[in-house]
Amino acid sequence: MTSDSQKQERHQARQQKVKQQVDARVAAAQDEKGLLLIITGNGKGKSTSGFGTIARAVGHGLTCSVAQFIKGTWDNGERNLLEKLGVEFQVMATGFTWETQDKELDTQAAQTVWGECKRMLSDASIDVILLDELTYMVSYGYIELEEVVDALNNRPSMQSVIITGRGAHRTLIEMADTVSEVKNVKHAFDSGVKALKGVDW
């Protein structure tokens, strides 16, 4: 029968191997550059994750900016908080496309915000930028993919960018340093539960 001390020794030996592997990977990762992160998929939480990264960056004293596409008409808890901490927001402010039902208006609004995004993406004083729901603008043709790729490729070397939204274009996925796919397992709304302020939005 194995004694408690033998179990502890085996556990310690296993963890020491894990530590050596992790330490070796950390030591090998020496490149420093701004990152392109994409959070996509059909599940809930993509924008929330992006805003969490912005909050983290602000907490570390970094300068951050946010551009929001589509979700422009609801009260925004993240904006209410982060603007007080000096985070710039550029908001499309037309709401969901199925509500506006006006492609020309939506395109103009998207282009206006995209113009501000290009300014942000050329400003080395901005450390982290969240392009919330940008994937839809590319999918709908409101913003040209080539323009997005060009702006991302020519941004300051230490600037990080987070792009959220469903159906991220494969070109953007290939460009990205980190891609996360949020999977929908279950959603309260599908059971008829009303979206809850402060939790869902």
Side-chain angles (χ1 to χ4, degrees), residues 140-160:
Y140 298 161
Y142 297 169
I143 300 171
E144 292 296 326
L145 174 64
E146 292 74 16
E147 277 196 51
V148 176
V149 169
D150 185 62
L152 291 171
N153 281 335
N154 290 291
R155 75 188 194 274
S157 62
M158 289 305 296
Q159 187 181 80
S160 293

Side-chain angles (χ1 to χ4, degrees), residues 8 11 24 44 72 86 110 113 120 141 155 157 161 163 170 197 199:
Q8 174 58 27
H11 173 75
K44 172 181 166 46
V113 174
M120 295 174 186
R155 75 188 194 274
S157 62
V161 178
I163 295 174
R170 64 182 178 275
K197 184 175 183 178
V199 177

Side-chain angles (χ1 to χ4, degrees), residues 51 66-71 76 89-93 113 132:
F51 276 113
V66 174
Q68 282 193 289
F69 298 91
I70 295 188
K71 297 178 189 170
N76 185 288
F89 273 71
Q90 296 292 335
V91 183
M92 190 166 152
V113 174
D132 187 37

